[in-house]
Amino acid sequence: MNTPPKATQDAVSMLRKPGTKAQPSHQAPIGPPKPGKRVYSPFSSRITAENQLCLEQLAYWSREAKVDILNDALEAYFASRPDSHQAIPAKQR
C-alpha cells in the first residue's frame, strides 16, 4: 500500500516569517495600537455577487485594499445615519 509522505509543515507555518508565532484571528493584537493606525476587528458577512465584483474591480483599478474601501464606504454611510452613533441600551446588548 502506497502512502503519501507526511508534510513537515502546514501551509500557514510556511508563510510565516521564521521565529514568529501564529496569532489566532479572534485575539486582539499584542500591545497598544500605534498612533494614527486603525484598529481592526474580525468580521465576516456576505455581500451580493454584484457588490463583490464591483469591490474587486475598484480595488484593482484604484490600487486600494478592499478593507480600506469597505471601511471608507461604511464611514460615509454611518455619517448619513445619526442613529448609528446612538449607544445601544445596556439591557439590549
Side-chain angles (χ1 to χ4, degrees):
M1 182 156 98
N2 281 341
T3 58
K6 285 188 172 185
T8 56
Q9 291 181 324
D10 65 355
V12 174
S13 66
M14 291 190 316
L15 295 174
R16 277 197 310 265
K17 292 179 183 176
T20 61
K21 292 183 179 179
Q23 179 179 343
S25 62
H26 64 276
Q27 289 183 353
I30 299 171
K34 294 180 181 176
K37 287 236 174 187
R38 288 180 166 178
V39 176
Y40 292 94
S41 295
F43 176 79
S44 177
S45 192
R46 298 183 298 171
I47 60 174
T48 65
E50 294 84 6
N51 284 341
Q52 182 179 6
L53 176 61
C54 288
L55 176 62
E56 289 173 359
Q57 291 172 159
L58 179 59
Y60 177 83
W61 290 111
S62 68
R63 307 297 193 259
E64 293 178 77
K66 289 186 250 183
V67 66
D68 293 332
I69 294 169
L70 288 173
N71 276 310
D72 290 345
L74 285 170
E75 288 171 9
Y77 177 74
F78 294 146
S80 71
R81 300 289 307 262
D83 52 331
S84 68
H85 301 287
Q86 185 176 354
I88 299 171
K91 286 185 179 180
Q92 295 178 6
R93 283 190 183 178

